[in-house]
Amino acid sequence: MTVALIGFAVLLILVFLRLPIAFAMGIVGFAGFGLITGWKPSLAMIGTLVSETALSYGLSVVPLFILMGNLVSRAGLSAELYAASNAFLGHRRGGLSMATIVACGSFSAICGSSLATAATMSKVAMPPMRQYGYADSLATASIAAGGTLGILIPPSVILVIYGLMTETSIRELFAAGFLPGLLGILLYMVAVQYAVWRRPQDGPRAERTSWPDRLRALRGVWGTLLLFILVIGGIYGGIFTPTEAAGIGAGGAFLLALAVIALYRDIVDLPDFDFAPHYAEVPDGEGGTLRMHHLDEGPPDAAPVLLIHGEPSWAYLYRHMVPVLVDAGHRVAVLAVDPTSTV
């Protein structure tokens, strides 16, 4: 009993010293086991546990689900989820915060990680909320609250780890996470509504989106919905196991990302011209810059071609500006590449 209390006290001290919890627990466990049974058995135990964990077939589901979420995020579909949610909710008071929560819940359905959900949606949702004058407290709270949905809505990495450790059916755990996740979305939206009722200036209204634009925004979420149905439907239908579903989901996300890149290439229409000397750098809303190249040669009455140089998520958002620019008489070419690269 005394050894356990001492070990727990040392663990708390290491955590307060800001040592990562995993390393703190490992050090305490290694030292305690070594003091009780000897250092050679303790060293042997560490080697065995590390190798067994690294070679565990069941735990391979964790990095695969995270990979699936990262591929979807890099393909710009997280921005599409937010755009679709914003189209239906943005005109309400506090609507951008509610759209953020809905987008977080949708992204959680293909990510499974709370940290990844919050990090991704902070890049997508924070700039528009600041643009419309939302209070930072409400904006950050909606992102943080929406990020917690990642551990509830399947495929949740935490539920997978819990199922493996307790030998509980992961399929049943996923089924048990649906209703709490949906309830969490609804209650978070109610909380946002109450917050802006008390302080209306914290969440001003945005522009109302027309129904044709709302329907166009829904087209961008088909890939996410299809991937979710493939993974969760396959698990519930008994077609494949959760580990196999994670691999299939990661593969599907990769193909989806390739399809998005192909879409970008299809809409690019660039002449044989050196764009490098013709560019302007503009703020990207996150403290960085985007390099916007322009073509200023040719006949005087020729419509210019605009090349947007940025990450896929940004280019995906800008792609919605294409109809507006075309109506204004411009020919537009959008290319999704790394913002640090050059043409």
Side-chain angles (χ1 to χ4, degrees):
M1 184 66 179
T2 303
V3 175
L5 292 176
I6 294 175
F8 186 70
V10 173
L11 175 63
L12 291 179
I13 292 173
L14 293 176
V15 171
F16 282 125
L17 292 175
R18 296 189 177 183
L19 186 70
I21 295 178
F23 292 105
M25 295 179 65
I27 291 173
V28 172
F30 169 73
F33 193 77
L35 290 173
I36 295 175
T37 62
W39 296 108
K40 287 186 178 180
S42 182
L43 290 172
M45 180 191 68
I46 284 184
T48 302
L49 287 178
V50 170
S51 62
E52 288 180 353
T53 303
L55 298 176
S56 173
Y57 175 76
L59 288 178
S60 62
V61 67
V62 176
L64 287 174
F65 275 136
I66 294 176
L67 175 62
M68 180 175 69
N70 286 335
L71 287 172
V72 170
S73 176
R74 297 298 296 178
L77 296 185
S78 56
E80 289 290 330
L81 291 173
Y82 179 76
S85 302
N86 185 28
F88 286 88
L89 298 171
H91 64 282
R92 299 178 179 274
R93 193 173 298 279
L96 294 182
S97 290
M98 290 187 283
T100 299
I101 292 171
V102 174
C104 285
S106 302
F107 187 75
S108 298
I110 51 173
C111 176
S113 170
S114 291
L115 291 177
T117 300
T120 300
M121 286 302 159
S122 63
K123 296 180 180 180
V124 175
M126 197 65 185
M129 285 192 281
R130 282 181 172 172
Q131 178 184 353
Y132 282 98
Y134 273 59
D136 285 345
S137 57
L138 178 61
T140 54
S142 59
I143 294 173
T148 62
L149 298 170
I151 65 173
L152 282 177
I153 299 177
S156 169
V157 172
I158 298 299
L159 291 180
V160 171
I161 295 177
Y162 177 83
L164 294 174
M165 294 180 63
T166 61
E167 297 183 358
T168 306
S169 171
I170 296 178
R171 182 174 64 178
E172 294 179 358
L173 289 174
F174 281 177
F178 264 117
L179 288 181
L182 295 176
L183 184 62
I185 293 175
L186 294 176
L187 292 180
Y188 284 148
M189 293 175 65
V190 172
V192 170
Q193 195 68 39
Y194 175 73
V196 297
W197 174 73
R198 290 186 60 192
R199 295 176 56 88
Q201 68 275 14
D202 287 352
R205 301 177 186 269
E207 293 86 359
R208 180 181 291 272
T209 305
S210 63
W211 276 103
D213 289 338
R214 290 179 180 181
L215 296 178
R216 278 194 293 268
L218 287 177
R219 297 175 186 174
V221 303
W222 67 268
T224 305
L225 181 61
L226 182 62
L227 191 62
F228 176 76
I229 293 175
L230 175 65
V231 173
I232 302 302
I235 294 176
Y236 289 151
I239 302 175
F240 34 72
T241 65
T243 304
E244 294 169 345
I248 292 173
F254 179 70
L255 295 177
L256 194 60
L258 291 180
V260 171
I261 294 174
L263 175 63
Y264 286 136
R265 291 177 178 173
D266 288 341
I267 64 176
V268 170
D269 180 20
L270 300 177
D272 186 11
F273 181 80
D274 182 15
F275 282 89
H278 305 272
Y279 69 88
E281 291 187 348
V282 297
D284 64 358
E286 299 180 8
T289 58
L290 289 177
R291 177 168 288 188
M292 301 182 69
H293 298 259
H294 62 278
L295 175 61
D296 57 2
E297 291 188 1
D301 57 347
V305 177
L306 175 66
L307 172 64
I308 296 176
H309 213 205
E311 293 184 356
S313 58
W314 279 101
Y316 223 100
L317 287 175
Y318 280 120
R319 190 164 64 86
H320 293 290
M321 297 172 57
V322 171
V324 178
L325 294 172
V326 170
D327 292 341
H330 298 278
R331 280 196 311 122
V332 183
V334 181
L335 180 62
V337 294
D338 190 273
T340 59
S341 63
T342 58
V343 176

Coordinates of all heavy atoms in Angstrom, one line a residue, residues 111-183:
C111 N -13.4 11.1 -38.3 CA -12.1 11.4 -37.8 C -11.8 10.5 -36.5 O -10.9 9.8 -36.5 CB -11.9 12.9 -37.4 SG -10.4 13.3 -36.6
G112 N -12.7 10.7 -35.5 CA -12.6 9.9 -34.3 C -11.7 10.4 -33.3 O -11.4 9.8 -32.2
S113 N -11.2 11.6 -33.5 CA -10.3 12.3 -32.5 C -10.8 13.6 -32.2 O -11.0 14.5 -33.0 CB -8.8 12.3 -33.1 OG -8.0 13.1 -32.3
S114 N -10.9 13.9 -30.9 CA -11.3 15.3 -30.4 C -10.3 16.3 -30.7 O -10.6 17.4 -31.2 CB -11.6 15.2 -28.9 OG -12.7 14.5 -28.6
L115 N -9.0 16.0 -30.5 CA -7.9 17.0 -30.8 C -7.9 17.3 -32.3 O -7.8 18.5 -32.7 CB -6.6 16.4 -30.3 CG -6.4 16.3 -28.8 CD1 -5.0 15.7 -28.5 CD2 -6.5 17.7 -28.1
A116 N -8.0 16.3 -33.1 CA -7.9 16.6 -34.6 C -9.1 17.4 -35.0 O -9.0 18.3 -35.9 CB -7.8 15.3 -35.3
T117 N -10.3 17.1 -34.4 CA -11.5 17.8 -34.8 C -11.4 19.3 -34.4 O -11.7 20.2 -35.2 CB -12.7 17.2 -34.1 OG1 -12.9 15.8 -34.5 CG2 -14.0 18.0 -34.5
A118 N -11.0 19.6 -33.2 CA -10.8 20.9 -32.7 C -9.8 21.7 -33.5 O -10.0 22.8 -33.9 CB -10.5 21.0 -31.2
A119 N -8.6 21.0 -33.8 CA -7.6 21.7 -34.5 C -8.0 22.0 -36.0 O -7.7 23.1 -36.5 CB -6.3 20.8 -34.5
T120 N -8.7 21.1 -36.6 CA -9.1 21.3 -38.0 C -10.1 22.4 -38.1 O -10.1 23.3 -38.9 CB -9.7 20.0 -38.6 OG1 -8.7 19.0 -38.5 CG2 -10.1 20.2 -40.0
M121 N -11.2 22.4 -37.2 CA -12.2 23.3 -37.3 C -11.8 24.7 -36.8 O -12.4 25.7 -37.2 CB -13.4 22.9 -36.4 CG -14.2 21.7 -37.1 SD -14.8 22.3 -38.7 CE -15.1 20.7 -39.5
S122 N -10.8 24.8 -36.0 CA -10.3 26.1 -35.6 C -9.7 26.9 -36.8 O -9.9 28.1 -36.9 CB -9.2 26.0 -34.5 OG -8.1 25.3 -35.0
K123 N -9.1 26.1 -37.7 CA -8.5 26.8 -38.9 C -9.7 27.2 -39.9 O -9.6 28.2 -40.6 CB -7.6 25.8 -39.6 CG -6.4 25.4 -38.9 CD -5.5 24.5 -39.6 CE -4.2 24.1 -38.9 NZ -3.4 23.2 -39.6
V124 N -10.7 26.4 -39.9 CA -11.8 26.7 -40.9 C -12.8 27.7 -40.3 O -13.2 28.6 -41.1 CB -12.5 25.3 -41.2 CG1 -13.7 25.6 -42.1 CG2 -11.6 24.4 -41.9
A125 N -13.2 27.6 -39.0 CA -14.3 28.4 -38.5 C -13.9 29.7 -37.8 O -14.6 30.6 -37.8 CB -15.1 27.5 -37.5
M126 N -12.7 29.7 -37.3 CA -12.3 30.9 -36.5 C -12.2 32.2 -37.4 O -12.7 33.2 -37.0 CB -11.0 30.6 -35.8 CG -10.7 31.6 -34.7 SD -11.9 31.5 -33.4 CE -11.4 32.8 -32.3
P127 N -11.6 32.1 -38.6 CA -11.5 33.4 -39.4 C -12.9 34.0 -39.7 O -13.1 35.2 -39.6 CB -10.7 32.9 -40.6 CG -9.9 31.8 -40.2 CD -10.7 31.1 -39.2
P128 N -13.9 33.2 -40.2 CA -15.2 33.8 -40.5 C -15.8 34.4 -39.2 O -16.5 35.4 -39.3 CB -16.0 32.6 -41.0 CG -15.0 31.6 -41.5 CD -13.9 31.8 -40.6
M129 N -15.7 33.7 -38.1 CA -16.3 34.3 -36.9 C -15.7 35.6 -36.5 O -16.4 36.5 -36.0 CB -16.3 33.2 -35.8 CG -17.3 32.1 -35.9 SD -17.5 31.1 -34.5 CE -16.1 30.0 -34.6
R130 N -14.4 35.7 -36.6 CA -13.7 37.0 -36.3 C -14.1 38.0 -37.4 O -14.3 39.2 -37.0 CB -12.2 36.8 -36.3 CG -11.7 36.1 -35.0 CD -10.2 36.0 -35.0 NE -9.7 35.5 -33.8 CZ -8.5 35.1 -33.5 NH1 -7.6 35.2 -34.5 NH2 -8.1 34.8 -32.3
Q131 N -14.3 37.6 -38.6 CA -14.7 38.5 -39.6 C -16.0 39.2 -39.4 O -16.2 40.4 -39.6 CB -14.7 37.8 -41.0 CG -15.2 38.7 -42.2 CD -15.3 37.9 -43.4 OE1 -14.9 36.8 -43.5 NE2 -15.8 38.6 -44.5
Y132 N -17.0 38.4 -38.8 CA -18.3 38.9 -38.5 C -18.4 39.5 -37.1 O -19.5 39.8 -36.7 CB -19.3 37.8 -38.7 CG -19.7 37.6 -40.2 CD1 -19.1 36.5 -40.9 CD2 -20.6 38.4 -40.9 CE1 -19.4 36.3 -42.2 CE2 -20.8 38.2 -42.2 CZ -20.2 37.1 -42.9 OH -20.5 36.9 -44.2
G133 N -17.3 39.6 -36.4 CA -17.3 40.3 -35.1 C -17.8 39.5 -34.0 O -18.3 40.0 -33.0
Y134 N -17.7 38.1 -34.1 CA -18.0 37.3 -32.9 C -17.0 37.5 -31.8 O -15.8 37.7 -32.0 CB -18.0 35.8 -33.4 CG -19.3 35.3 -34.0 CD1 -19.8 35.9 -35.1 CD2 -20.0 34.3 -33.4 CE1 -21.0 35.5 -35.7 CE2 -21.2 33.8 -34.0 CZ -21.7 34.5 -35.1 OH -22.9 34.1 -35.6
A135 N -17.5 37.4 -30.6 CA -16.7 37.4 -29.4 C -15.7 36.2 -29.4 O -16.2 35.1 -29.7 CB -17.5 37.5 -28.1
D136 N -14.5 36.5 -29.1 CA -13.5 35.4 -29.1 C -13.9 34.3 -28.1 O -13.7 33.1 -28.3 CB -12.1 35.9 -28.7 CG -11.5 36.6 -29.9 OD1 -12.0 36.5 -31.0 OD2 -10.5 37.3 -29.7
S137 N -14.6 34.7 -27.0 CA -15.0 33.7 -26.0 C -16.0 32.7 -26.6 O -15.9 31.5 -26.4 CB -15.6 34.4 -24.8 OG -16.6 35.3 -25.1
L138 N -17.0 33.3 -27.3 CA -18.0 32.4 -27.9 C -17.4 31.6 -29.0 O -17.7 30.4 -29.2 CB -19.2 33.3 -28.4 CG -20.3 32.5 -29.1 CD1 -21.0 31.5 -28.2 CD2 -21.3 33.5 -29.7
A139 N -16.5 32.2 -29.8 CA -16.0 31.4 -31.0 C -15.1 30.3 -30.5 O -15.2 29.1 -31.0 CB -15.2 32.4 -31.8
T140 N -14.2 30.6 -29.6 CA -13.3 29.5 -29.1 C -14.1 28.4 -28.3 O -13.8 27.2 -28.4 CB -12.2 30.1 -28.2 OG1 -12.8 30.9 -27.2 CG2 -11.3 31.0 -29.1
A141 N -15.1 28.9 -27.5 CA -15.9 27.9 -26.8 C -16.6 27.0 -27.7 O -16.7 25.8 -27.4 CB -16.9 28.6 -25.9
S142 N -17.2 27.5 -28.8 CA -17.9 26.6 -29.7 C -17.0 25.6 -30.4 O -17.4 24.4 -30.6 CB -18.6 27.4 -30.8 OG -17.7 28.2 -31.5
I143 N -15.8 26.0 -30.7 CA -14.8 25.1 -31.3 C -14.4 24.0 -30.3 O -14.3 22.8 -30.6 CB -13.6 25.9 -31.9 CG1 -14.0 26.8 -33.0 CG2 -12.5 24.9 -32.3 CD1 -12.9 27.7 -33.5
A144 N -14.1 24.5 -29.1 CA -13.6 23.5 -28.1 C -14.8 22.5 -27.7 O -14.5 21.3 -27.6 CB -13.2 24.3 -26.8
A145 N -16.0 23.0 -27.6 CA -17.1 22.1 -27.2 C -17.4 21.2 -28.4 O -17.6 20.0 -28.2 CB -18.4 23.0 -26.9
G146 N -17.4 21.7 -29.6 CA -17.6 20.8 -30.8 C -16.5 19.8 -30.9 O -16.8 18.6 -31.4
G147 N -15.3 20.1 -30.5 CA -14.2 19.1 -30.6 C -14.4 17.9 -29.7 O -14.0 16.8 -30.0
T148 N -15.1 18.1 -28.6 CA -15.3 17.0 -27.7 C -16.2 15.9 -28.3 O -16.3 14.8 -27.8 CB -16.0 17.4 -26.4 OG1 -17.3 18.1 -26.7 CG2 -15.1 18.5 -25.7
L149 N -16.9 16.2 -29.4 CA -17.8 15.3 -30.0 C -17.0 14.1 -30.7 O -17.5 13.1 -31.0 CB -18.7 15.9 -31.1 CG -19.6 17.0 -30.5 CD1 -20.3 17.8 -31.7 CD2 -20.7 16.3 -29.7
G150 N -15.7 14.4 -30.9 CA -14.8 13.4 -31.5 C -14.7 12.1 -30.7 O -14.5 11.0 -31.3
I151 N -14.9 12.1 -29.4 CA -14.8 10.9 -28.6 C -16.2 10.2 -28.4 O -16.2 9.2 -27.8 CB -14.2 11.2 -27.2 CG1 -15.1 12.1 -26.4 CG2 -12.8 11.8 -27.4 CD1 -14.7 12.3 -25.0
L152 N -17.2 10.8 -29.0 CA -18.6 10.3 -28.8 C -19.1 9.7 -30.1 O -19.5 8.5 -30.2 CB -19.6 11.3 -28.3 CG -19.5 11.7 -26.8 CD1 -20.5 12.8 -26.6 CD2 -19.9 10.5 -26.0
I153 N -19.0 10.4 -31.2 CA -19.6 10.0 -32.5 C -18.6 9.0 -33.1 O -17.4 9.3 -33.3 CB -19.8 11.2 -33.4 CG1 -20.8 12.2 -32.7 CG2 -20.3 10.8 -34.7 CD1 -21.0 13.5 -33.4
P154 N -19.1 7.9 -33.5 CA -18.3 6.9 -34.2 C -17.8 7.4 -35.5 O -18.4 8.2 -36.2 CB -19.3 5.7 -34.5 CG -20.4 5.9 -33.5 CD -20.5 7.4 -33.4
P155 N -16.6 7.0 -35.9 CA -15.7 6.0 -35.3 C -14.8 6.7 -34.3 O -13.8 7.4 -34.6 CB -14.9 5.5 -36.4 CG -14.8 6.6 -37.4 CD -16.1 7.4 -37.3
S156 N -15.1 6.6 -33.0 CA -14.3 7.2 -31.9 C -13.1 6.3 -31.6 O -13.2 5.1 -31.3 CB -15.2 7.4 -30.7 OG -14.4 7.8 -29.6
V157 N -11.9 7.0 -31.6 CA -10.7 6.2 -31.2 C -10.7 5.8 -29.8 O -10.3 4.7 -29.4 CB -9.5 7.1 -31.5 CG1 -8.2 6.5 -30.9 CG2 -9.3 7.4 -33.0
I158 N -11.3 6.7 -28.9 CA -11.3 6.3 -27.5 C -12.2 5.1 -27.3 O -11.9 4.2 -26.4 CB -11.9 7.5 -26.7 CG1 -10.9 8.7 -26.8 CG2 -12.1 7.2 -25.2 CD1 -9.6 8.5 -26.3
L159 N -13.3 5.0 -28.0 CA -14.2 3.9 -27.8 C -13.5 2.6 -28.3 O -13.7 1.5 -27.8 CB -15.5 4.1 -28.6 CG -16.5 5.2 -28.0 CD1 -17.7 5.3 -28.9 CD2 -16.9 4.8 -26.6
V160 N -12.7 2.8 -29.4 CA -12.0 1.6 -29.9 C -11.0 1.1 -28.8 O -10.9 -0.1 -28.5 CB -11.3 2.0 -31.2 CG1 -10.3 0.8 -31.6 CG2 -12.3 2.2 -32.3
I161 N -10.2 2.0 -28.2 CA -9.3 1.6 -27.2 C -10.0 1.0 -26.0 O -9.5 0.0 -25.4 CB -8.4 2.8 -26.8 CG1 -7.6 3.3 -28.0 CG2 -7.5 2.5 -25.6 CD1 -6.8 4.6 -27.7
Y162 N -11.1 1.6 -25.6 CA -11.8 1.1 -24.5 C -12.3 -0.3 -24.8 O -12.3 -1.2 -23.9 CB -13.0 2.0 -24.1 CG -13.9 1.5 -23.0 CD1 -13.6 1.7 -21.7 CD2 -15.1 0.8 -23.3 CE1 -14.4 1.2 -20.7 CE2 -15.9 0.3 -22.3 CZ -15.6 0.5 -21.0 OH -16.4 0.1 -20.0
G163 N -12.8 -0.5 -26.0 CA -13.3 -1.9 -26.4 C -12.2 -2.9 -26.4 O -12.4 -4.1 -26.0
L164 N -11.0 -2.5 -26.8 CA -9.9 -3.5 -26.8 C -9.5 -3.8 -25.4 O -9.1 -5.0 -25.2 CB -8.8 -2.9 -27.7 CG -9.0 -2.7 -29.2 CD1 -7.8 -2.0 -29.8 CD2 -9.2 -4.1 -29.8
M165 N -9.4 -2.8 -24.6 CA -8.9 -3.1 -23.2 C -9.9 -3.9 -22.4 O -9.5 -4.7 -21.5 CB -8.6 -1.7 -22.5 CG -7.5 -0.9 -23.1 SD -7.2 0.6 -22.3 CE -6.7 0.0 -20.6
T166 N -11.2 -3.7 -22.6 CA -12.3 -4.3 -21.8 C -12.9 -5.5 -22.5 O -13.8 -6.1 -22.0 CB -13.4 -3.3 -21.4 OG1 -14.0 -2.8 -22.6 CG2 -12.8 -2.2 -20.6
E167 N -12.4 -5.8 -23.7 CA -13.0 -6.9 -24.6 C -14.5 -6.7 -24.8 O -15.2 -7.7 -24.7 CB -12.6 -8.2 -23.9 CG -11.1 -8.5 -23.8 CD -10.8 -9.9 -23.3 OE1 -11.8 -10.6 -22.9 OE2 -9.7 -10.3 -23.2
T168 N -14.8 -5.5 -25.0 CA -16.2 -5.1 -25.3 C -16.4 -5.0 -26.8 O -15.5 -4.6 -27.5 CB -16.6 -3.8 -24.6 OG1 -16.4 -3.9 -23.2 CG2 -18.1 -3.5 -24.8
S169 N -17.6 -5.3 -27.3 CA -17.9 -5.2 -28.7 C -17.7 -3.8 -29.2 O -18.5 -2.9 -28.7 CB -19.3 -5.8 -29.1 OG -19.6 -5.5 -30.4
I170 N -16.8 -3.5 -30.1 CA -16.7 -2.2 -30.6 C -17.9 -1.7 -31.4 O -18.3 -0.5 -31.4 CB -15.4 -2.1 -31.5 CG1 -14.2 -2.4 -30.6 CG2 -15.3 -0.7 -32.2 CD1 -12.9 -2.4 -31.4
R171 N -18.5 -2.7 -32.1 CA -19.7 -2.3 -32.8 C -20.8 -1.8 -31.9 O -21.5 -0.8 -32.2 CB -20.2 -3.5 -33.6 CG -21.5 -3.2 -34.5 CD -21.8 -4.4 -35.3 NE -22.2 -5.6 -34.6 CZ -22.5 -6.8 -35.1 NH1 -22.6 -6.9 -36.4 NH2 -22.8 -7.8 -34.4
E172 N -21.0 -2.5 -30.7 CA -22.0 -2.0 -29.8 C -21.6 -0.7 -29.1 O -22.5 0.1 -28.8 CB -22.1 -3.1 -28.7 CG -22.7 -4.4 -29.2 CD -22.9 -5.5 -28.1 OE1 -22.5 -5.2 -27.0 OE2 -23.4 -6.6 -28.4
L173 N -20.3 -0.5 -28.9 CA -19.9 0.8 -28.4 C -20.1 1.9 -29.4 O -20.6 3.0 -29.0 CB -18.4 0.7 -28.1 CG -17.9 -0.1 -26.9 CD1 -16.4 -0.2 -26.8 CD2 -18.5 0.5 -25.6
F174 N -19.9 1.7 -30.6 CA -20.2 2.7 -31.7 C -21.7 3.0 -31.7 O -22.1 4.1 -31.8 CB -19.8 2.2 -33.0 CG -18.3 2.4 -33.3 CD1 -17.7 1.9 -34.4 CD2 -17.5 3.0 -32.3 CE1 -16.4 2.1 -34.7 CE2 -16.1 3.1 -32.5 CZ -15.6 2.7 -33.7
A175 N -22.5 1.9 -31.6 CA -24.0 2.1 -31.5 C -24.4 3.0 -30.3 O -25.3 3.8 -30.4 CB -24.7 0.8 -31.5
A176 N -23.7 2.7 -29.2 CA -24.0 3.5 -28.0 C -23.6 4.9 -28.0 O -24.1 5.8 -27.3 CB -23.4 2.8 -26.8
G177 N -22.7 5.2 -28.9 CA -22.2 6.6 -29.0 C -23.0 7.5 -29.9 O -22.8 8.8 -29.9
F178 N -23.9 7.0 -30.7 CA -24.6 7.8 -31.7 C -25.5 8.8 -31.0 O -25.4 10.0 -31.2 CB -25.5 6.9 -32.6 CG -24.8 6.6 -33.9 CD1 -24.5 5.3 -34.2 CD2 -24.5 7.6 -34.8 CE1 -23.9 5.0 -35.4 CE2 -23.9 7.3 -36.0 CZ -23.6 6.0 -36.3
L179 N -26.4 8.3 -30.2 CA -27.4 9.2 -29.5 C -26.8 10.2 -28.6 O -27.1 11.4 -28.7 CB -28.5 8.4 -28.8 CG -29.5 7.6 -29.6 CD1 -30.5 6.9 -28.7 CD2 -30.2 8.6 -30.6
P180 N -25.8 9.9 -27.8 CA -25.1 10.9 -27.0 C -24.4 12.0 -27.9 O -24.4 13.2 -27.5 CB -24.1 10.1 -26.2 CG -24.7 8.8 -26.0 CD -25.4 8.5 -27.3
G181 N -23.9 11.6 -29.0 CA -23.3 12.5 -29.9 C -24.3 13.5 -30.5 O -24.0 14.7 -30.5
L182 N -25.4 13.0 -31.0 CA -26.4 13.8 -31.5 C -27.0 14.7 -30.4 O -27.3 15.9 -30.7 CB -27.5 13.0 -32.2 CG -27.1 12.1 -33.4 CD1 -28.3 11.3 -33.9 CD2 -26.6 13.0 -34.5
L183 N -27.2 14.2 -29.2 CA -27.7 15.0 -28.1 C -26.7 16.1 -27.8 O -27.1 17.2 -27.5 CB -28.0 14.1 -26.9 CG -28.7 14.8 -25.7 CD1 -30.0 15.3 -26.1 CD2 -28.8 13.8 -24.6

